[in-house]
Amino acid sequence: MSKDDQILQEFTSKEYEHGWTVDLENDSAPPGLNEDIVRFISKKKEEPEWLLEWRLEAFRKWQDMEEPKWPNVSYPQINYQDIIYYSAPKQSAKPNSLDEVDPELRKTFEKLGISLEEQKRLTGVAVDAVIDSVSVATTFKEKLNELGIIFSSFSEAVKEHPELVRKYIGSVVPANDNYFAALNSAVFSDGSFCYIPKGVRCPMELSTYFRINAANTGQFERTLIVADEGSYVSYLEGCTAPMRDENQLHAAVVEIYAAKDAEVKYSTVQNWYPGDKDGKGGIYNFVTKRGICSGDNSKISWTQVETGSAITWKYPSCILKGDNSIGEFYSVAVTNNMQQADTGTKMIHIGKNTRSRIVSKGVSAGKSQNSYRGLVTVMKQAENARNFSQCDSLLMGDKCGAHTFPYIEVKNSSGLVEHEATTSKIGEDQIFYCNQRGIDTENAVALIVNGYAKEVLNQLPMEFAVEAQKLLALTLEGSVG
Amino acid sequence: MLKIENLEASIEGKKILKGINLEVKKGEVHAIMGPNGSGKSTLASVLAGREEYEVENGSVEYLGDDLLELSPEDRARAGVFLAFQYPVEIPGVSSTNFLKTAINEVRQYRGQEPLDAVSFLTHLKDKMKLVDIDQSLLSRPLNEGFSGGEKKRNEIFQMAVLEPRLSILDETDSGLDIDALKVVSNGVNQLKSSENATIVVTHYQRLLEYIVPDYVHVLYNGQIVKSGDKSLALELEEKGYDWIKGGSEVTA
Amino acid sequence: MDISTDMHSLKQEADIYLEKHGLPDRKDEEYKYTPLSKLIEKEFDSVVETVDSLASGKIEKIIPGWKANRLVFINGQYRDDLSVIVDESGLVIERLDNSDQISQKEIEQYLGQLAEPTSDPFVALNTSAMTSGTVSKVEKGSVIEHPVHLMFISDSSQGKAKSQYRNLFIVGENAQVNFVESFHTIGDEISLSNSVTEIVVSKNSVTNYYKLQIENDGEVHVGTSSIKQLDTCVFNAATITLGGKMIRNNLNITMESERCEANLNGLYLVTGKSHVDNHTAVDHKYPNCNSNELYKGVLDENATGVFNGKIYVRPQAQQTNAFQSNKNILLSDSATINTKPQLEIWADDVKCSHGCTTGQLDDEQIFYLRSRGISKEKARALVLYAFAMEVIDNIKIEGLREYLDERIAERLG
């Protein structure tokens, strides 16, 4: 065995850090999916009739749809009747303040390193934590209220701002958009809702932390962000899940609406449990994220650091409808062991002078498969559209794969679309250079990978960037010689 | 400090070093000269622990330890510094970040506390003056887009920051104009002390006008064929390497 | 050629595949942007394979002037009167349905093996028929002076025409040859041609393969060229499309040894309602191979261009260098380009990159030329001509280069 292989193997035995379960009493639905379950969920959430109808309509459409087969991933057939579609941690009454939150639950967050107290005090990040499917506590609410910003759990928003939810839900990702979006629309149990009023610049980062806890549950959260004219918000999303032998399904939907002159920055650090080194267990992360730059001069920017999940299937997209609107997608996707990722973006240029930029950095190690799949469309009416895409792949070891599937469709002659892709490996001479300066191989790899991904990491808010850097180093420890 | 005995090394089955003997004591400057392909850079690489080279015979003692037993990073942490002939580019990694990681690894190895941000930056500033390096170079990705001169200067700057015991300069003069050469040499001279030692590997005598060696060794065909003081370098410059080639064939 | 059992089972395999899959529609990822089946079903279902050509007077005019070993086919029929062989030694060219010098065994070793009937519905369709075409062989060590030129003409002056061609080309060790396939049309009706070409390239050989489409706007063409590089050798290809109603070219290269080199060039310069689709695939299976690809397109009026380039680098194919570039110019707001350069890499020590650009003519360049007194139209033509020539300049046959040069200059005005 060569030294490279040895290091590679040592690394593959690395354990998942967030892999523990907490004993929370769950209030769950029986496994399986039918109209009754949809009604059960809706009733649990005390939803209005129109939302139940919307869910049922989505469910009916879902039944006629087929699971997509085109992604470059393979997994055993999912039995949708084995999944528990609703699981809420039991609580005696609704907490009025953080102090009333279940101590077990609080401990969970502390283990995750996102103690709500601390978050509240030190970082000024407003957190909405979603465990399994239900939103647990939202910090900083009062402060946001003063500015007219609504940041709450989805179910709360349905109760308190039904007109806003009704207006925008499904407006960016229609209920029948795709198989997993339809499934989510039928059974979503909670998520976050955010509304930034006209001209308001949200003074703090808004954040949601998602965690799947109970066994056999699927998590189907839904996030809706509406940025009214001239507003600005930066939104963070973090994800973790405990280690389990079986695969768990996560099918989320994120919708962003940006009105005239509005700007939304959406950052994700995804660290769902990836399964063990033989590919056992792990989260199936099938997510639909889409934003519409509806008004002129609006901007939506997606940044994602994807290190977790057994399978990732997500394409955060921008519909650039308003003139002069801007879409951005910055991504680092790291796969190791048996992980599979098929991720990228879609930039749909409709308005005049629209701009988009795609920077995708893939890192494959172990026996993993990492695919970039992206679509850039310049519609006939999209005068002077500009796109630049850069897709780089870094391979570590010779048992993994890196794949690039860019689709470019241009129907307007004034459009300028450029795409560049490269594939490389970490050079032995780069590692030796670091060694010679006293840096060991593991740290050298972390340093080089962080350098490689810098353009993307720079897009993240400070607190997140540090976490993301650590995560990259952790995911890739020892993966190269 | 360093004692090399009968060192033989090969790459891809081809023998390059054929029995090197060399002793370097604290405070000394040794120059190793020789024509292209004589094994100069191989010697530097073997001392730094480049894995492509296989040591077939001999020993290298460094500060009482067996140097060949140490991993490349442990050699560096123990104070062996190689100024590369061709410093590699590492995209996206800034010089500052790189050096901070390196210096704290070295300190940890020596049982010292890591430097905090302020003392680290003060330390950097001090050393920057030595090689007249521009602040902006530090925030740029390591060696990426650096000119040849900038790369070499950056190597000496790193040497200053990491404060090694034994520095090996591998053809640091190649591709440098006279002004850059002066700056680099000046840096090396200022770092010289009674506690550390320097090995200068070079093809030309020119560098030795600025970094004055205590000893000059001529490497040819994998062996040190001649040793002497600095006058040997001048003699070599005058007579050319053919002089050595001819001579060694006679003695062989 | 007699139908042997091997051949029979190949055809059977094709029939079964066709029955099961039919022709591809938009849902088929490989034909997403080029929905041929509807068009073919609508236009050609009732057309008989062979329509006699009467247009002999017009044919002489389209035969190019450069000297070649030339075989001419019209609507699927071989025309001995128009064909000529100039190189007698080291080269054997025979008709697929009438071969005696090249053994049945040798043919069966390759035919249907490079382009497997189940790899693509149109290959299956072609395999199922397999009546018209050629088998050629370049002997070991032979350098063939003049190109081998296969001319395929669709004559629709008597009504819709439909034809299928199958060609096998075996290049021996250490041999060198230029191989040209050109497709032409006569008549104003719509026509269909479906061709499959298999090229076997042996050790130390150099093969240049050029496929030309000099067609009017009535031709629907589907063609697959499958190349196997058996051992260390060089294969160069250029695919030039200057017209056609709906054109689909598949070019598949498999490298079966270390140190193979392949250079792929393409130019599509079309206008009107032409639709041109180039799909290429280079499969790097062994270490130390190089591939280089440059496809350029100029699309005017309502024309549509499609480019899909796949590069596969298999796990053991270390030290692969694979580069791909696709550049497009859209001259009209009704023109469309869909491009999908695709890399699939399973080896780590490789240098692979692809790039693609889509844009318009560089205004700065045009302005510069105009400021030197050149008219706007002339300036545009000059810049486009230079854009196209990057591909044409790589063609190794002087006569062919001049022939294309003239046609492109004429097209650009």
Side-chain angles (χ1 to χ4, degrees):
Chain A
M1 192 187 282
S2 77
K3 196 178 171 221
D4 296 11
D5 291 340
Q6 254 175 26
I7 297 170
L8 212 69
Q9 215 167 48
E10 272 167 38
F11 157 60
T12 44
S13 54
K14 199 85 196 168
E15 296 288 323
Y16 178 68
E17 236 195 8
H18 294 293
W20 33 263
T21 58
V22 176
D23 196 14
L24 295 163
E25 260 188 283
N26 285 310
D27 181 4
S28 303
L33 183 53
N34 50 48
E35 287 205 5
D36 288 343
I37 291 288
V38 176
R39 283 177 207 280
F40 171 85
I41 295 168
S42 187
K43 197 171 170 204
K44 270 271 172 204
K45 321 281 311 171
E46 298 162 25
E47 283 175 0
E49 189 60 25
W50 65 264
L51 191 51
L52 174 64
E53 276 312 312
W54 192 79
R55 285 175 181 273
L56 288 170
E57 181 64 25
F59 176 70
R60 285 168 202 140
K61 280 172 182 157
W62 177 74
Q63 283 178 305
D64 292 336
M65 294 169 91
E66 273 177 43
E67 207 175 315
K69 292 279 176 272
W70 47 263
N72 192 24
V73 296
S74 63
Y75 53 91
Q77 186 71 39
I78 297 170
N79 186 345
Y80 290 90
Q81 296 305 331
D82 282 351
I83 295 169
I84 297 168
Y85 287 88
Y86 183 81
S87 157
K90 230 179 213 164
Q91 281 176 348
S92 40
K94 241 181 166 306
N96 289 319
S97 79
L98 282 173
D99 302 333
E100 288 173 36
V101 170
D102 184 348
E104 266 302 281
L105 207 58
R106 298 276 298 279
K107 241 192 267 168
T108 309
F109 290 130
E110 274 154 33
K111 276 194 199 174
L112 280 171
I114 56 145
S115 138
L116 295 185
E117 296 280 19
E118 203 178 58
Q119 289 277 0
K120 198 171 170 181
R121 225 165 1 97
L122 297 175
T123 62
V125 174
V127 176
D128 184 18
V130 176
I131 278 212
D132 286 346
S133 309
V134 175
S135 178
V136 181
T138 307
T139 55
F140 272 110
K141 215 162 169 178
E142 291 151 40
K143 213 168 181 183
L144 296 171
N145 272 344
E146 287 166 24
L147 290 162
I149 294 171
I150 305 166
F151 180 42
S152 70
S153 75
F154 206 94
S155 2
E156 212 176 309
V158 168
K159 290 196 184 98
E160 286 169 22
H161 307 280
E163 72 299 337
L164 277 175
V165 175
R166 196 171 182 175
K167 183 172 173 192
Y168 291 106
I169 190 173
S171 69
V172 187
V173 179
N176 63 343
D177 185 75
N178 65 69
Y179 189 78
F180 298 112
L183 179 64
N184 174 288
S185 302
V187 302
F188 75 92
S189 25
D190 213 330
S192 303
F193 175 81
C194 169
Y195 173 81
I196 317 290
K198 258 185 205 175
V200 172
R201 222 185 135 80
C202 184
M204 63 183 81
E205 317 272 353
L206 299 184
S207 168
T208 312
Y209 224 97
F210 295 110
R211 179 174 169 82
I212 299 178
N213 208 44
N216 290 321
T217 42
Q219 178 149 314
F220 306 94
E221 82 274 356
R222 209 175 167 97
T223 305
L224 176 56
I225 299 172
V226 178
D228 217 329
E229 280 183 25
S231 67
Y232 167 85
V233 64
S234 168
Y235 194 94
L236 317 178
E237 173 197 79
C239 322
T240 48
M243 275 164 72
R244 292 196 185 280
D245 284 350
E246 74 278 11
N247 296 105
Q248 286 175 285
L249 179 63
H250 173 250
V253 169
V254 176
E255 296 180 276
I256 300 177
Y257 181 91
K260 188 167 176 266
D261 299 320
E263 181 178 349
V264 179
K265 201 171 153 62
Y266 194 103
S267 313
T268 306
V269 173
Q270 186 263 109
N271 184 29
W272 296 120
Y273 178 52
D276 70 6
K277 65 178 179 4
D278 300 317
K280 198 172 184 195
I283 302 290
Y284 290 169
N285 191 31
F286 300 148
V287 174
T288 307
K289 293 184 170 182
R290 192 177 302 150
I292 182 165
C293 286
S294 185
D296 293 352
N297 313 315
S298 54
K299 179 177 176 183
I300 293 176
S301 179
W302 297 100
T303 304
Q304 59 173 26
V305 175
E306 303 277 319
T307 59
S309 297
I311 298 174
T312 300
W313 178 98
K314 71 182 253 197
Y315 315 92
S317 306
C318 298
I319 301 168
L320 304 171
K321 188 167 159 252
D323 290 350
N324 314 314
S325 61
I326 298 172
E328 291 177 339
F329 175 74
Y330 296 95
S331 168
V332 181
V334 183
T335 54
N336 196 357
N337 296 322
M338 303 295 283
Q339 280 177 276
Q340 304 175 65
D342 193 306
T343 185
T345 183
K346 294 180 187 176
M347 293 289 173
I348 315 293
H349 292 258
I350 301 170
K352 292 187 174 67
N353 305 315
T354 46
R355 306 265 181 280
S356 66
R357 181 177 169 80
I358 298 170
V359 178
S360 163
K361 303 271 182 178
V363 182
S364 337
K367 292 176 181 163
S368 69
Q369 298 296 329
N370 200 330
S371 302
Y372 167 80
R373 188 181 302 276
L375 169 69
V376 176
T377 298
V378 176
M379 305 288 245
K380 212 175 160 67
Q381 67 271 39
E383 291 285 327
N384 288 316
R386 295 283 178 272
N387 162 269
F388 179 73
S389 307
Q390 173 78 44
C391 300
D392 296 329
S393 305
L394 193 67
L395 288 110
M396 298 191 186
D398 53 6
K399 290 180 182 64
C400 52
H403 315 275
T404 321
F405 305 93
Y407 295 71
I408 295 148
E409 304 175 357
V410 184
K411 295 186 170 65
N412 184 300
S413 68
S414 62
L416 188 65
V417 178
E418 287 179 77
H419 173 98
E420 276 176 34
T422 63
T423 298
S424 56
K425 68 171 212 163
I426 292 187
E428 276 160 31
D429 45 349
Q430 289 176 328
I431 290 178
F432 181 71
Y433 190 87
C434 295
N435 287 161
Q436 216 300 308
R437 299 298 183 253
I439 302 168
D440 64 29
T441 301
E442 287 204 347
N443 281 327
V445 170
L447 199 67
I448 295 166
V449 168
N450 275 311
Y452 162 80
K454 197 172 185 179
E455 220 180 324
V456 176
L457 297 175
N458 278 348
Q459 298 296 323
L460 289 171
M462 203 46 159
E463 314 87 337
F464 244 34
V466 174
E467 187 187 333
Q469 275 194 23
K470 283 187 189 152
L471 210 53
L472 285 186
L474 187 77
T475 314
L476 288 167
E477 253 175 39
S479 61
V480 133
Chain B
M1 177 181 268
L2 182 77
K3 196 170 180 192
I4 304 173
E5 280 184 339
N6 194 31
L7 183 66
E8 295 179 18
S10 64
I11 185 164
E12 288 171 358
K14 197 182 166 205
K15 202 162 196 172
I16 311 281
L17 300 185
K18 301 170 181 170
I20 302 270
N21 291 292
L22 179 69
E23 188 169 358
V24 178
K25 295 199 178 72
K26 282 198 286 191
E28 291 178 351
V29 176
H30 288 245
I32 295 179
M33 301 184 69
N36 290 330
S38 59
K40 299 190 303 285
S41 283
T42 300
L43 179 61
S45 294
V46 168
L47 291 178
R50 211 185 256 281
E51 277 163 14
E52 296 96 286
Y53 293 94
E54 198 173 331
V55 175
E56 294 180 336
N57 218 338
S59 65
V60 181
E61 196 187 294
Y62 170 71
L63 296 173
D65 288 328
D66 181 356
L67 186 72
L68 301 177
E69 282 296 303
L70 298 178
S71 67
E73 58 269 31
D74 281 347
R75 294 181 199 201
R77 292 164 183 173
V80 176
F81 181 92
L82 172 65
F84 286 76
Q85 183 179 5
Y86 305 109
V88 71
E89 300 183 356
I90 306 186
V93 177
S94 73
S95 282
T96 313
N97 188 10
F98 173 75
L99 276 172
K100 194 171 179 198
T101 311
I103 202 166
N104 284 333
E105 291 268 356
V106 171
R107 290 179 68 88
Q108 194 187 2
Y109 182 83
R110 293 176 186 164
Q112 296 165 311
E113 285 291 307
L115 282 183
D116 62 63
V118 177
S119 8
F120 172 69
L121 287 175
T122 318
H123 184 65
L124 281 196
K125 282 229 168 85
D126 283 353
K127 304 297 181 184
M128 272 160 58
K129 287 177 209 143
L130 266 182
V131 281
D132 191 21
I133 207 161
D134 193 61
Q135 176 98 37
S136 67
L137 218 58
L138 294 179
S139 51
R140 276 163 57 186
L142 189 58
N143 293 326
E144 205 182 31
F146 283 26
S147 70
E150 281 174 334
K151 278 184 186 173
K152 293 292 168 77
R153 229 187 283 180
N154 194 36
E155 290 293 291
I156 302 304
F157 170 63
Q158 289 186 15
M159 177 175 136
V161 171
L162 295 173
E163 299 174 329
R165 304 289 301 274
L166 174 67
S167 304
I168 305 160
L169 311 184
D170 189 5
E171 309 247 0
T172 299
D173 52 335
S174 67
L176 283 191
D177 63 32
I178 192 75
D179 292 333
L181 190 70
K182 278 182 189 161
V183 171
V184 165
S185 309
N186 187 33
V188 173
N189 289 332
Q190 289 198 44
L191 292 169
K192 217 168 88 176
S193 81
S194 59
E195 284 304 306
N196 60 25
T198 310
I199 298 175
V200 182
V201 175
T202 181
H203 185 85
Y204 302 104
Q205 185 268 341
R206 197 180 59 168
L207 177 66
L208 305 180
E209 284 175 20
Y210 301 97
I211 304 174
V212 182
D214 301 305
Y215 299 95
V216 174
H217 310 278
V218 181
L219 193 61
Y220 177 66
N221 199 15
Q223 286 182 314
I224 291 179
V225 293
K226 215 172 178 62
S227 294
D229 61 13
K230 62 182 177 187
S231 62
L232 178 60
L234 289 169
E235 200 176 348
L236 210 55
E237 181 87 350
E238 215 170 280
K239 299 184 179 167
Y241 281 112
D242 285 340
W243 167 56
I244 292 298
K245 287 181 192 173
S248 82
E249 266 154 34
V250 172
T251 51
Chain C
M1 187 181 71
D2 298 325
I3 297 291
S4 69
T5 32
D6 276 17
M7 217 38 77
H8 190 73
S9 65
L10 201 64
K11 288 187 173 208
Q12 221 167 21
E13 206 184 329
D15 287 337
I16 293 167
Y17 181 84
L18 268 182
E19 195 148 313
K20 200 170 159 201
H21 296 272
L23 292 181
D25 57 19
R26 270 188 198 280
K27 274 188 224 147
D28 188 315
E29 177 70 23
E30 289 300 305
Y31 287 86
K32 187 180 154 97
Y33 297 113
T34 305
L36 278 154
S37 58
K38 253 192 195 155
L39 179 72
I40 290 173
E41 274 158 24
K42 190 178 143 219
E43 299 285 352
F44 298 101
D45 235 19
S46 58
V47 177
V48 211
E49 189 104 337
T50 310
V51 177
D52 282 338
S53 172
L54 300 171
S56 52
K58 291 179 186 166
I59 293 164
E60 281 78 3
K61 262 190 228 163
I62 59 173
I63 294 180
W66 40 279
K67 199 171 173 187
N69 299 286
R70 188 168 282 125
L71 270 68
V72 180
F73 291 80
I74 304 177
N75 292 349
Q77 288 182 328
Y78 173 64
R79 290 286 295 264
D80 198 43
D81 57 321
L82 300 167
S83 304
V84 59
I85 301 293
V86 291
D87 291 306
E88 297 291 348
S89 76
L91 174 70
V92 182
I93 311 178
E94 296 185 299
R95 276 155 56 202
L96 181 67
D97 53 357
N98 186 21
S99 69
D100 55 56
Q101 289 190 61
I102 304 169
S103 76
Q104 191 72 26
K105 204 177 137 215
E106 199 165 2
I107 294 174
E108 279 168 10
Q109 192 184 343
Y110 300 117
L111 197 71
Q113 306 303 313
L114 278 63
E116 290 175 32
T118 54
S119 62
D120 178 284
F122 291 100
V123 174
L125 191 69
N126 183 286
T127 309
S128 173
M130 209 144 55
T131 45
S132 187
T134 61
V135 190
S136 310
K137 188 178 171 184
V138 180
E139 302 292 349
K140 204 169 156 177
S142 303
V143 176
I144 308 303
E145 191 188 347
H146 297 96
V148 173
H149 180 198
L150 306 180
M151 251 186 110
F152 304 108
I153 302 164
S154 291
D155 179 0
S156 62
S157 47
Q158 306 296 309
K160 289 178 185 174
K162 177 164 137 185
S163 52
Q164 299 205 71
Y165 301 101
R166 182 74 173 219
N167 302 299
L168 172 63
F169 213 77
I170 305 166
V171 182
E173 278 185 28
N174 223 2
Q176 282 184 37
V177 66
N178 293 316
F179 181 33
V180 184
E181 289 180 317
S182 65
F183 293 82
H184 309 256
T185 48
I186 298 172
D188 301 323
E189 280 276 1
I190 187 168
S191 58
L192 169 70
S193 57
N194 176 25
S195 73
V196 173
T197 297
E198 292 166 285
I199 307 177
V200 184
V201 195
S202 309
K203 192 172 181 174
N204 284 332
S205 62
V206 180
T207 305
N208 300 317
Y209 167 62
Y210 305 112
K211 183 173 177 182
L212 321 175
Q213 281 141 347
I214 322 269
E215 292 155 329
N216 70 15
D217 293 342
E219 172 86 347
V220 178
H221 171 80
V222 189
T224 296
S225 306
S226 292
I227 290 87
K228 206 166 235 179
Q229 294 188 263
L230 292 181
D231 210 327
T232 307
C233 60
V234 178
F235 178 79
N236 301 311
T239 306
I240 315 289
T241 307
L242 301 177
K245 182 179 179 66
M246 193 174 275
I247 307 288
R248 166 62 176 256
N249 296 310
N250 298 314
L251 177 59
N252 306 315
I253 295 172
T254 313
M255 295 174 165
E256 296 283 358
S257 154
E258 285 199 44
R259 297 183 200 286
C260 291
E261 179 188 326
N263 299 296
L264 287 64
N265 288 286
L267 173 70
Y268 37 101
L269 198 156
V270 288
T271 182
K273 286 181 182 165
S274 287
H275 177 114
V276 185
D277 179 348
N278 277 297
H279 268 57
T280 66
V282 182
D283 195 350
H284 286 265
K285 292 169 117 175
Y286 290 87
N288 290 304
C289 294
N290 293 342
S291 69
N292 237 308
E293 189 168 356
L294 173 66
Y295 269 71
K296 300 184 97 171
V298 179
L299 303 158
D300 201 355
E301 295 183 358
N302 293 299
T304 300
V306 179
F307 174 77
N308 174 236
K310 297 188 187 75
I311 295 175
Y312 300 103
V313 181
R314 305 288 172 188
Q316 67 272 36
Q318 299 290 359
Q319 275 95 46
T320 291
N321 289 313
F323 303 105
Q324 187 187 68
S325 171
N326 174 228
K327 295 176 179 169
N328 300 288
I329 293 179
L330 297 185
L331 294 176
S332 132
D333 278 352
S334 305
T336 300
I337 176 73
N338 297 309
T339 163
K340 186 187 169 199
Q342 184 175 332
L343 296 175
E344 296 213 44
I345 295 163
W346 292 272
D348 63 338
D349 190 10
V350 299
K351 283 202 190 84
C352 293
S353 71
H354 65 205
C356 75
T357 56
T358 293
Q360 50 195 336
L361 279 174
D362 188 337
D363 286 341
E364 281 296 307
Q365 290 177 357
I366 303 289
F367 179 75
Y368 184 85
L369 292 172
R370 289 175 74 186
S371 73
R372 296 292 177 267
I374 298 165
S375 75
K376 192 177 170 187
E377 290 67 34
K378 193 76 201 156
R380 259 171 62 119
L382 267 175
V383 172
L384 288 173
Y385 176 81
F387 180 80
M389 281 306 122
E390 196 185 346
V391 170
I392 303 300
D393 285 344
N394 285 321
I395 292 175
K396 306 275 196 289
I397 308 165
E398 202 189 332
L400 175 58
R401 216 165 43 229
E402 285 165 6
Y403 171 83
L404 287 170
D405 192 358
E406 259 171 51
R407 257 146 203 85
I408 289 165
E410 188 183 303
R411 170 69 59 83
L412 295 171

